[in-house]
Every structure is written in structure tokens, then in C-alpha cells.
Amino acid sequence: MKILSGFHGERVMAAPNNYGGRGELVLLCALLGTLWEMGRGQIHYSVPEESDKGSFVGNISKDLGLESQDLGKHGVRIVSRGRTQLFALNQRGGSLVTAGRIDREELCAQSTRCLVNINILVEDRGKLFGIEIEVTDINDNNPKFQAENLEIKINEIAVPGTRYPLPEAVDPDVGLNSLQSYQLSPNHHFSLDVQTGEDGTINPELVLDHALDREEEAAHHLVLIASDGGEPPRSSTVHIKVTVLDVNDNAPVFAQPIYRVTVPENVPPGTLLLTVRASDLDEGANGEVAYKFWKINEKQSPLFQLNENTGEISTAKSLDYEECTFYEMEIHAEDVGALMGKTKVLISVEDINDNRPEVTVTSLFSPVLENTLPGTVIAFLNVHDRDSGKNGQVVCYIPDNLPFQLEKSIDNYYKLVTWKYLDREKTSMYNITVMASDLGTPPLSTETHIILQVADTNDSPPTFSHASYSAYIPENNLRGASIFSVTAHDPDSGKNAQVTYSLMENTTMGAPLSSYVSINSDTGVLYALRSFDYEQIRDLQLLVIARDNGDPPLSSNVSLSLFILDQNDNTPEILYPSLPTDSSTGVELAPRSAEPGYLVTKVVAVDRDSGQNAWLSYRLLKASEPGLFMVGLHTGEVRTVRALMDRDALKQSLVIVVQDHGQPPLSATVTLTVAVADSIPDVLADLGNIKNPTNSDDSDLTLYLVVAVAIVSCVFLAFVVVLLVLRLWRWHKSSLLQPSGRALVSLPASSFVGMEGVQAFLQTYSHEVSLTADSGKSHLIFPQPNYADTLISQESCEKNNSLLTSIDFHEGKDEAASVQQAPPNTDWRFSQAQRPGTSGSQNGDETGTWPNNQFDTEMLQAMILASASEAADGSSTLGGGAGTMGLSARYGPQFTLQHVPDYRQNVYIPGSNATLTNAAGKRDGKAPASSNGNKKKSGKKEKK
């Protein structure tokens, strides 16, 4: 039966008089039951126990008034608590079905009606509905005795009519399906009597009908059958063995028929609850009493233990009020004569506040948009405490500093709602602590944390850290160089926080701003698209726009001033004196009567740079007559330093440099021609002689010079080759003719001039060419021989050590043993004081030798003369008279052999810093001329 609404009112007509009294009573009961069901205003279903999984219980979608049978679309789900979920929803069929096998006896025990209440949440409506389901009983349990075999001892003197209690069978079913009757197997001595207690229980008793005689039959075997009223009926049996005993005519008697005790649920195992006592008037062994449990539930028996001798009842395990609040058991006291007494023990369990409240988040709507309206449901919570009474009453609350509040819903449900607008930029996540506390003493509480994410909406535009920016960049920057970086922060998240940068379109100096700079749309870095020139543009005013990617997008802007810094990239420009456009030369006039400090002229210059880069300073770089003029450092004024005299040249040339103070500094030069004269006619007469040099013959002179140098070099190379071959031949010949017995041999004097000597000779007569394009003449200079180091005479060097004795000839040891070499000629030697260097202090060999061979000397002199003659035959007139090819007069064609300097004076000994001196002059009684003397003579001849 299901009822969707309450009872509104209904008139009940009186039954006709012809109806019997029994019919009226049945009709009235049915009507009252219907009205009671309708008054409750809940949805009711019934289902038999032991139904298969998925069995139909009721049509939820129809009873709840849902438009569609698809429960998933409406968010319908069961939110009831419980250890095991007994029912489930058929999402597509819209019906309530069983989730598994339901055992009514396990669920409701011996209750007459077994009702299960569940709650169903409809999320799209935000409502909860209570469902009451009655589980009906079926006959699925047999009546069951506690033991299959029972032994009863009866004295033989027992009087007929004596009653003996029999064990009761337990049937978990209810109603007609429960235990209904007992039957005893047929026998001659006993019968069965069934007594109905005040609580409706059926107690079987064995009644002795005829006196027993142990001698005739010591034991009797009976079968007791217990049957229920189900369809089909179920039954069970117990086998009873009756043992006949000798006389014991007093049964144990308990002091109380019923024992009651109340214990808290938190008593530890082993706690003594109470002690039952029974007395037996018999003496001896017949008066000894043993206690045992007689009637107790199977689930309850492991919780308690009974001392058979003392009757003490104690706990074997911990008690739990939430599982069972009341225990009932029956205890028998039996003596050795099998006489028994019985009593009841009632144990009530007192609830203790030992369970904390439990908070279950039934439904959570996360994340929630930050612009959600106040009053929006965020979550459904279920609060439960397993205790009872005040211990089970729970108060639930959250902190006051949150934009949420708890509202009571149906049963133990709360809903968490917002009471003001959220702001994700301030708080993007809430850790909501739900606290639940019971009303017990002391109170117990628990906390549950709910993590709520706040979803972002685009409600915040990007913001810059400064109201405006200034950037500086030096001019002449590289194209594409990074200039500056701006950053805007958007407190939103995701796409709403992705910022894109751009520049406001504008024009500068007739060109679009985008041709000057660009900005990276992702990073905000600005780049220069051209190289800036400070002299053309000093600053740029930009407007940077930051826009997010929200919907709709939000933006903000900031101004950026880009200043160009000056660099020293312009040289000073000389405005006066300006360079002449024709071939004439600008002349400034200075009268000979000018006093010191007379202002001759002023150099005027400017620099296009600015600041320190444009500060100019003037100085005199070069003057034809130093000390005559001066230039003002900062003014550029050219003034006389002293009075002009007659000996001062008419034409004075000044080179003035103008330099700025940049880093690095740049400069420009100007050449001034100052005419020193008292009158203008004198100046004009002298200036007529001034003419610019012509460069018409420069190319011809250069060609002649190159040809002359090439001819001299070829002749000298041929001389070196001939000399080398001749020396090798002479050395080979002398080594064969002169045997030597020394271990270390010395080279002959004629073999001294080798490759090293030729190189020294070539070095002495090297050529220096100096060509200038501006001069009218080119100069070919042959340096004068160096007479500083001259050869000393042979007679003055009588030393025993040879310069070449330090040379190690290990490779020629075998030849030296077979050929005896003549001792070296020691005519050419020099002392330590005659070696080049600082006072001849260089370290080296003490002595040196020079080959004293007339043929070698004459040959070298002839070669030098031939070279000079060939040079004199050239057509160039550079540096000297006609036909001298730039050589001095002493090297002209009229110069004879005796005027040729000794070639040995500039020949160096290999491996030594010494220069040989002419020994022949000493032999002739002539002192060697110093180098200074030779230079003076050469100079005089050149002047002539």
C-alpha cells in the first residue's frame, strides 16, 4: 500500500443493523488501519523476505511524480545510512528493487512488524523523501531446540502428576510461521502438557502419568517434536533420555524467582554482574547444587559466563548498548538427584556516551562559481550518533568567519548554503570544518573537512605595477634589441588570467609607431625595430595595452616614455677656418710687430652630440716652429706666445686638433697657414712662391725603385751562392790534405765565412725604402755602414783560444782521426772589451778568429764595388746627384777601391755578439776610424 498525501477527512457511515457484530468490528479495524496509514503522509512499500536480488519493491518515479523514468536525469539516489544497503534504484526503469537477500529475522528479530526506513534524494529538486518498507515474514526457519539430545533424571519415587520442564524450541519467524505446537512420542509413563505464558510463549512440560520402577526399566527414550504453523509446516525434534534415579525428594530452590541487574555498556570483560543462589534441603551429595544456563539466545551466550559451583554471572566480552539493550536468560540449579530449580535473570545495559557523532557528506557541489547567488546549496550533510537519549542528540555548526551557513533539513540532514557572494581572487579554496557535538556528559565531538573550490569568472582586468614607465636606450642600438619589459598581473585564473600585450597605434615624425618598436604579445618585452639616432628623435611616447582572454575580455593600459640616450658618434665639425673648395690655401696674417698674446685667428667648431659628448677642447698638435703660437683650450683662439722676430719664417703651418669629451673621444684636425709679414704686398709676394706639390711622377719613381731593388737582390743572391760553393770546396780540399790527430778538430780560417756570415753581410747592406705620396720626391735610403765595431789588427790579438773551439763535432770523429788538420790561424781575434753590448760585458767565448786570406778579402771587396757600380748606372735621381741612385758621393762611379769600406766591419760571427775589426789598418799603422767620424765625413760629402 502506498499513500502520497495525508487524510483530509472522510465521513464514515454506520453499519446496517442486519450486519453482525463481528463484521462491524472487522470493518472498523480495517478502516482505522487505512486512516492511520494515510495520516502518516509517507510512501509505503512491502516486500517479502528472502526475495531475489533485483526484486521489484515499488515504482519510485511514478510515486514521486517525476516526469521521466530515468532516475539518473533527476539525480535520484538513496542517501540513507546503514551498514548494508538493502535496496537499490533501477535507474532506467524508475523502480525501487532489492539490493540483495533480506533476512527478516536478522534485521528485526522477533518484532511483529519489520519496517525499514530509507531516504531518497532528488538533486534537481533539492528535496529528500522518506520511504517506509515493510519486510513481511515467510516460513523459512524451522523451530530449533538448543540441543538435539536431552537427559532427564527422575527419582523412582516421583509421584504421578509431577511435572518436568522440557527445553523450548525457538522459531525466529513470527505469526503463524512461528512455533505453534509440541508433540511427544507415545509412551506408557509420560504425557506432554503445554503451558502458555503471560508473554505468549509456549512452555512444554513432561508430566509423569504412572509411577516409575527402576528395576523394571532404568531409562526411557522419548522424542519431543516442535512444529510451526507455516505452509508447509516446519518442525524439529529433540531426543529425551529419562534416567530413573534412586530417592532424592527435594529439588533446589532459588532465593528469587527473577534476578534483575543494570550494567553500563563500558564494563570490561570479566566483570561480575550478579550471583544467583539456590538451596537444597537434602543432605550430602543430594544437597549439592550445580548451576547452568538453560534458556539463552545463541548470540547472547558468548557474552556471559556462569560459574557452575558459585552461581556467579560475569561478562565474557564487552557489551554494546547500540547492539543490544536488554538480555534475558534462564538459569537452572540441579542437584545430584536430578532435581532442578529455575530462575530468570534480566540484564539491562545502560548507554554510555562512547560514540562520537558521525558526519557524512551526502552530496557536494564543487567547484562553485564565484558569482553564485547567496542561498545556493553547496552540500548535503548527514549527522548521526549511535548513542541514545541526550548522548545521541547532535548539534552541528561551522565557523562564523566563512561565507557559508548550515540549515537543518529533514531528519538528521543539514544543507550547507552560501549567505554572501564569493570572491575567488581573495579566496580560491575553502577548507570548511564542520563540527558535530553530542549532548552527552562529557560531550563528544568530531570534525569533518570539506574542500570547496571556487571557480573563476572574468571579473578582474589586468593591472600594471606602476602608473607609468620610463625606459632609456642608447642611440645606435642594434635592430631587434630588447628595450624594456612590462608586466601586467591578472588575479583571475586560467584563460581569464592569460594576458596579451599590444601597443596603441600612433604616428611619430610621420611614421607609424609600429615601425619604431614592437612588443611581444605573450611576454610584454619591447624590441627596437630600427637603430635610433639621438640627433633625429629624442623620445617616444607609447601606450601599452594589456588584455586578458576572458569572455568578455577586460583590458587596461599604461604609458611608457622611451628616452634615447646620446652616444659619442659624431666627430667635431670645424666651421672656421673652412676648407677651401679650390686648390688655394687659406692664410691668416700675423704682423711681425705683434706682441705676445696677439689674437691671430680663432678656430670655431661644433659637435652634433649633446652633453659631455659635445664639450670641445682645442690643442696645438703640430707647428712648423714650436713655441711661437698657442691655442686656447676651450676657446680655440690662436695667439702668439712671444714676439715675432725677423728670423721667423714667413709661412707658419699649424695643425690644430679639436677633441670632444666622449668615451671614446672623437677628434678632427685643421691646418692653418699663418703668414708673418708687416704688409700685405710682402705677404702676396711670398705666397706666390707657395704651390701645391704635384704627384705626376710618383708612379714612375715607384716603378724605378722596385726595379733597382730587384736587380741588387738578384746580384747579391748570386754572390752568396758562389761564395757558399767556393767555401765548401776549399774546406773539403783542406780537410783531405791536412791530417789531424786531435780528438776535437777546428775549422780552417778560410771556412769561417759560411751561411751565417752571408746572412750578416746581407743584414748589414739591407735597404730601407721610404715613399710618401704627398711629397714631390721619393727617397731611397741605403744606411751607412756601421763603423762602431771595427776589426782589430792581427798583431794585437795574440790569443790561444779560438772562437770555434767550443763547437762540438762528434759526427766527424772518425775522419778527424785519419786526417790531421792544421791549427787555426789566430790572426783575427777580439778581446772581451771589443765585443758589442754594454762595455762588451756580454757573456760568450773569449776569442774569435777571422780568415786571413787575401783572395777572400779581394773577392768580397770586388763584389761590393760591382754592386755599387751597378747601382750608379740607374736612371733614378732619388736622394742624390745624377747616376748615384740615392747613394752618397763616396759610393759614386768615381769612387775607387780604396774608398770602399772594409766588408768585415759589419760581418757578425755566428753564435757571438762580436763584430770583427779591420786588422789591416793596424798593420799599416792606422787607427780604425770611429763610426761617428765616418758619419761626419759622409755628411760633408753629401752637402757638397
Side-chain angles (χ1 to χ4, degrees), residues 74 175 200 254 320 485 549 732 744 748 760 780 786 796 801 844 853 883 892 931:
H74 301 279
F254 283 94
D320 191 353
S485 177
N549 291 334
H732 181 67
L744 295 175
L780 176 62
N786 188 359
S796 64
N801 296 331
N853 190 305
S931 61

Side-chain angles (χ1 to χ4, degrees), residues 122-189:
V122 182
E123 290 187 352
D124 61 348
R125 295 185 181 180
K127 293 184 179 181
L128 286 170
F129 295 92
I131 306 296
E132 185 180 78
I133 303 171
E134 180 179 2
V135 181
T136 58
D137 183 49
I138 63 173
N139 192 22
D140 58 342
N141 292 288
N142 294 330
K144 187 177 181 181
F145 292 95
Q146 188 173 359
E148 297 181 358
N149 297 297
L150 176 66
E151 183 180 4
I152 300 177
K153 296 179 180 180
I154 302 176
N155 286 319
E156 60 179 352
I157 60 172
V159 180
T162 305
R163 296 175 177 270
Y164 300 93
L166 295 177
E168 297 177 7
V170 178
D171 194 336
D173 296 329
V174 295
L176 294 177
N177 296 327
S178 63
L179 179 65
Q180 298 294 325
S181 63
Y182 291 94
Q183 293 181 0
L184 185 66
S185 60
N187 63 88
H188 299 287
H189 297 278

Side-chain angles (χ1 to χ4, degrees), residues 23-77:
E24 293 177 355
L25 180 62
V26 171
L27 180 60
L28 179 62
C29 292
L31 179 61
L32 291 177
T34 302
L35 294 177
W36 179 78
E37 291 291 345
M38 294 177 63
R40 297 189 62 185
Q42 287 185 333
I43 301 176
H44 302 273
Y45 297 110
S46 63
V47 60
E49 66 169 334
E50 302 296 335
S51 299
D52 294 336
K53 179 180 179 180
S55 298
F56 177 82
V57 178
N59 192 338
I60 285 293
S61 62
K62 178 180 179 182
D63 296 337
L64 295 181
L66 302 180
E67 297 178 359
S68 174
Q69 291 186 354
D70 191 352
L71 301 181
K73 293 182 178 179
H74 301 279
V76 180
R77 54 193 178 94

Side-chain angles (χ1 to χ4, degrees), residues 67-118:
E67 297 178 359
S68 174
Q69 291 186 354
D70 191 352
L71 301 181
K73 293 182 178 179
H74 301 279
V76 180
R77 54 193 178 94
I78 299 175
V79 295
S80 299
R81 300 176 42 82
R83 298 179 181 177
T84 304
Q85 194 63 256
L86 301 178
F87 301 94
L89 293 174
N90 187 340
Q91 297 291 339
R92 293 186 177 181
S95 59
L96 179 68
V97 297
T98 57
R101 188 183 67 85
I102 302 176
D103 189 353
R104 182 190 179 283
E105 288 74 27
E106 182 179 356
L107 186 64
C108 300
Q110 297 293 322
S111 299
T112 303
R113 297 187 66 190
C114 183
L115 300 177
V116 178
N117 293 307
I118 63 173

Side-chain angles (χ1 to χ4, degrees), residues 576-596:
Y576 182 83
S578 59
L579 296 178
T581 56
D582 53 3
S583 59
S584 62
T585 302
V587 178
E588 299 292 338
L589 180 63
R592 291 189 180 272
S593 60
E595 298 294 331

Side-chain angles (χ1 to χ4, degrees), residues 370 423-426 456-457 459-463 488-494 496-497 499:
E370 60 179 329
D423 190 353
R424 192 206 67 84
E425 285 69 37
K426 293 182 178 179
D456 181 51
T457 57
D459 55 349
S460 299
T463 56
H489 175 68
D490 195 321
D492 294 326
S493 65
N496 298 329
V499 181

